[in-house]
Amino acid sequence: MQQETLEYEFRVKATPMLLAIAFFGACAAMMARTALTNDRGLILNGVITFEPGGATTFYWCVAAVALLFVAAGAYGLMAGRKPLLVRLTADEISAPRSVFAKVPTVVRLDDIRDVGVMDVSRQVLLIIHHTGGTLNIAQSMLASPAAFQELHRALMARLQARVVAAQALASAPGARSSARAG
């Protein structure tokens, strides 16, 4: 039975990425302004106490980390301009591990041990456990939730068809005698 190859675009959504860049940019600006005008100490959770100089250093460090998030977001946005593909064929599934991946991860369907869907903080993931590790495909990286559901259903149907075919082959007349002869 010939199964068609299914392909889905895998890319960063611009709006959430731009919102994250704006948020971390605002955090960086606020922390930099606080560091420039700071003349007080800082107590974190009643446990860690900073003198004014230490508090200023802390604010600069938070500003720097926020700027790193801005840079990572901008890089991810630029890297995501060229869509990557999730591809499901009759024998394998291939998907990038992230938008930064240059080469997709290819997993043979025969190597898949378990498939699950997990919701982590409103982020829905297709988790494919295989002999070489785990491949996660985020619903938010595909064009739509419907594309995600279609991919999941098609993958499960192909895996089930392989199990049925293997069982039929094992129970076919002469399967045991030919195994002994080899």
Side-chain angles (χ1 to χ4, degrees):
M1 177 172 125
Q2 183 65 22
Q3 296 172 329
E4 68 178 299
T5 297
L6 302 175
E7 291 184 342
Y8 304 89
E9 260 192 20
F10 184 88
R11 69 166 42 191
V12 171
K13 304 289 188 291
T15 302
M17 190 62 75
L18 289 171
L19 290 173
I21 290 169
F23 172 76
F24 285 108
C27 289
M30 185 181 75
M31 286 290 108
R33 183 177 183 278
T34 303
L36 286 170
T37 60
N38 183 53
D39 61 355
R40 299 180 182 187
L42 174 67
I43 300 173
L44 291 176
N45 290 332
V47 178
I48 301 171
T49 303
F50 294 107
E51 297 301 321
T56 299
T57 301
F58 175 80
Y59 295 135
W60 279 119
C61 289
V62 173
V65 169
L67 279 176
L68 287 174
F69 279 108
V70 169
Y75 180 76
L77 195 58
M78 295 305 290
R81 289 180 66 186
K82 178 181 178 248
L84 303 170
L85 291 176
V86 174
R87 183 176 286 124
L88 178 62
T89 69
D91 298 315
E92 62 190 27
I93 183 167
S94 64
R97 288 206 178 270
S98 72
V99 294
F100 306 115
K102 302 276 189 228
V103 177
T105 299
V106 179
V107 178
R108 290 183 42 237
L109 296 185
D110 290 334
D111 293 340
I112 293 177
R113 301 293 170 239
D114 188 35
V115 175
V117 175
M118 183 183 290
D119 188 333
V120 180
S121 301
R122 296 183 302 169
Q123 175 70 283
V124 180
L125 301 169
L126 179 62
I127 302 173
I128 302 168
H129 297 278
H130 56 93
T131 56
T134 304
L135 176 63
N136 299 328
I137 301 171
Q139 175 180 299
S140 63
M141 301 299 281
L142 299 179
S144 68
F148 181 85
Q149 293 299 326
E150 180 184 341
L151 172 63
H152 181 233
R153 277 193 303 272
L155 176 61
M156 296 306 291
R158 290 179 189 197
L159 291 173
Q160 182 61 33
R162 290 174 101 72
V163 168
V164 169
Q167 289 172 344
L169 185 63
S171 64
R176 291 183 185 181
S177 63
S178 63
R180 284 187 210 147

